[in-house]
């Protein structure tokens, strides 16, 4: 017997089955039969093992990991150490390595590779080290032996806007309007009117408004006011741009225009450091390196590194695809 209408949200299985006239005993029997047909989802348990491998590279790191049945480590290593060196150029035959990492196993079945905990590579007299560490705020990242975050090495500034060309550089020039030789304290980035302009670094708005020949202008103070960036000839401002407001690197602060003393749409971008004009083309490329751990965190980090060294020295790897009855390693917390 079938029902022609779909069950409502409030109808129970018992109500649906008894509606056609089935007795309670028949409902119980049908329910047991349905339970046997219902697929059950199994949770596959696994244990995490800490594994280390070490050796000398004969040709390349990729080939070495392939021989060790650990090719899955290669993209992870590239991602971790990308800020420090180029694998193809810096790691060659003769380089030595030690890698400590996690693997997931279900009994004798290899499931997959987990996190790399530590990597130490020595090549041509240079050492490339990275260690996984969680700081006091719960953020996990890779750090080198000196406590510098591997993936936080970046340039101090980003580009202020997307532009097609530089129409005027930094230094003395013949002014396109006055025709006189004048010092140009910035660079002119040609872009269509309305192109978004970005804050090149975290900072605080110290000026926004009309500024004579500069037209609509924004000035942002960075790094305890030692550095200021200026954005001239804007067509408009972002609603969040107000004197005293803070901005983050990459925030849209305004839009390219041609206001003030201008011959066409462009952004005149300027940088002042300690009261001196800087060449933006050079300053924009400067790297920003900072110690990313407090003194207390650094002590904890060094203790973690010591633990990693102990494990790197004593761990015996399980061979992927070839299970051996070896003592289980305990997951590193």
């Amino acid at each position: 017997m079938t029902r022609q209408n779909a069950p409502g949200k409030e109808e129970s299985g018992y109500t649906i089955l008894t509606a056609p006239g089935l007795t309670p005993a028949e409902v119980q029997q049908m329910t047991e039969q349905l339970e046997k047909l219902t697929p059950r989802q199994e949770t596959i348990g696994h244990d995490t093992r800490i594994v280390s491998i070490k050796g000398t590279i004969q040709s390349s790191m990729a080939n070495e990991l392939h021989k060790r049945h650990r090719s899955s480590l290669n993209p992870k290593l590239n991602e971790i150490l990308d800020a420090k060196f180029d694998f193809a150029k810096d790691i060659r035959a003769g380089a030595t390595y030690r890698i400590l990492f996690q693997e997931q196993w279900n009994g004798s079945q290899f499931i997959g590779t987990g996190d790399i905990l530590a990597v130490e590579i020595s090549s041509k007299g240079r050492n490339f080290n990275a260690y996984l560490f969680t700081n006091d705020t719960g953020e996990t990242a890779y750090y080198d032996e000196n406590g510098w975050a591997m993936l936080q090495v970046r340039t101090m500034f980003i580009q202020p806007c997307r532009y097609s060309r530089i129409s005027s550089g930094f230094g003395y020039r013949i002014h396109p309007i006055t025709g006189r030789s004048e010092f140009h304290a910035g660079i002119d980035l040609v872009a269509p009117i309305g192109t978004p302009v970005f804050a090149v670094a975290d900072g605080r708005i110290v000026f926004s408004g009309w500024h004579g020949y500069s037209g609509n202008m924004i000035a942002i103070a960075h790094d305890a006011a030692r550095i200021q960036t200026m954005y001239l000839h804007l067509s408009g401002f972002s609603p969040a741009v107000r004197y005293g407001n803070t901005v983050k690197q990459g925030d849209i602060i305004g839009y390219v225009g041609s206001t003030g003393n201008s011959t066409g749409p462009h952004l005149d971008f300027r940088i002042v450091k300690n009261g001196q004009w800087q060449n933006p083309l050079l300053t924009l490329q400067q790297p920003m390196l900072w110690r990313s751990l407090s003194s207390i965190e650094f002590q904890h980090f060094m203790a973690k590194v010591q633990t990693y060294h102990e494990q790197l020295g004593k761990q015996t790897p399980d061979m992927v695809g070839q299970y051996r009855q070896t003592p289980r390693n305990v997951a590193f917390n």
Side-chain angles (χ1 to χ4, degrees):
M1 300 179 66
T2 60
R3 297 187 61 178
Q4 299 299 321
N5 59 314
K9 292 183 179 179
E10 302 301 325
E11 290 185 282
S12 67
Y14 184 85
T15 303
I16 295 170
L17 290 172
T18 55
L22 297 177
T23 65
E26 291 171 329
V27 170
Q28 177 65 25
Q29 183 181 7
M30 184 174 292
T31 301
E32 292 175 353
Q33 292 175 348
L34 289 173
E35 288 180 349
K36 293 179 181 179
L37 298 175
T38 301
R40 297 181 182 275
Q41 183 177 3
E42 292 187 13
T43 301
I44 300 177
H46 66 267
D47 62 292
T48 300
R49 307 177 191 175
I50 295 180
V51 181
S52 72
I53 57 174
K54 59 183 177 181
T56 301
I57 296 174
Q58 301 301 319
S59 58
S60 69
M61 177 63 81
N63 289 337
E64 182 70 18
L65 293 174
H66 178 72
K67 288 191 301 182
R68 304 294 295 269
H69 306 287
R70 296 308 199 287
S71 292
S72 59
L73 292 175
N74 198 55
K76 295 175 181 287
L77 288 174
N78 275 284
E79 182 180 356
I80 294 168
L81 298 173
D82 181 63
K84 294 282 283 187
F85 65 92
D86 186 324
F87 261 106
K89 295 180 180 179
D90 296 324
I91 305 302
R92 299 186 180 173
T96 60
Y97 66 92
R98 299 199 305 175
I99 307 172
L100 186 73
F101 55 100
Q102 296 175 331
E103 286 184 342
Q104 281 78 47
W105 290 74
N106 178 27
S108 61
Q109 182 180 5
F110 172 73
I111 298 177
T113 303
D115 291 330
I116 291 178
L117 302 178
V119 54
E120 298 179 342
I121 300 175
S122 179
S123 177
K124 298 182 293 186
R126 300 174 62 191
N127 294 321
F128 305 97
N129 303 326
Y131 306 96
L132 190 65
F133 178 71
T134 302
N135 63 22
D136 291 347
T137 63
E139 298 174 337
T140 300
Y142 289 95
Y143 299 82
D144 67 13
E145 66 276 11
N146 297 315
W148 295 95
M150 304 290 292
L151 301 181
Q152 291 181 4
V153 177
R154 57 180 174 85
T155 56
M156 185 179 297
F157 303 109
I158 63 171
Q159 294 290 340
C161 72
R162 296 182 177 88
Y163 60 94
S164 59
R165 62 187 177 90
I166 298 176
S167 61
S168 185
F170 179 80
Y172 282 95
R173 65 171 183 174
I174 301 299
H175 196 282
I177 295 179
T178 66
R180 297 192 300 266
S181 176
E182 297 180 4
F183 182 78
H184 187 224
I187 54 174
D188 290 345
L189 309 176
V190 177
I193 290 179
T195 299
V197 174
F198 309 106
V200 298
D202 297 353
R204 183 174 62 88
I205 305 293
V206 293
F207 181 87
S208 65
W210 186 265
H211 194 268
Y213 292 153
S214 301
N216 291 323
M217 187 183 86
I218 295 173
I220 302 176
H222 314 274
D223 191 18
R226 289 193 315 112
I227 298 175
Q228 285 192 16
T229 54
M230 300 177 182
Y231 313 77
L232 285 60
H233 307 303
L234 302 173
S235 62
F237 307 98
S238 168
V241 172
R242 294 287 187 275
Y243 176 80
N245 283 4
T246 58
V247 291
K248 292 293 185 181
Q249 185 179 68
D251 285 351
I252 296 176
I253 56 174
Y255 304 91
V256 170
S258 187
T259 57
N261 213 6
S262 171
T263 59
H266 72 283
L267 172 68
D268 185 343
F269 175 66
R270 306 185 178 194
I271 299 178
V272 181
K273 181 178 181 180
N274 294 327
Q276 300 293 322
W277 293 112
Q278 305 293 305
N279 185 341
L281 287 179
L282 299 178
T283 306
L284 287 172
Q285 298 174 9
Q286 292 181 0
M288 173 178 277
L289 299 174
W290 65 88
R291 193 177 199 81
S292 29
L293 298 174
S294 67
S295 58
I296 297 299
E297 288 173 326
F298 185 68
Q299 294 177 24
H300 296 163
F301 167 74
M302 292 306 296
K304 179 75 77 174
V305 171
Q306 181 61 37
T307 301
Y308 285 152
H309 283 164
E310 293 173 359
Q311 293 184 310
L312 280 166
K314 69 182 180 182
Q315 292 299 113
T316 302
D318 287 316
M319 295 301 294
V320 177
Q322 181 183 350
Y323 180 71
R324 298 181 300 165
Q325 294 295 333
T326 55
R328 298 290 180 266
N329 297 317
V330 179
F332 192 89
N333 295 319

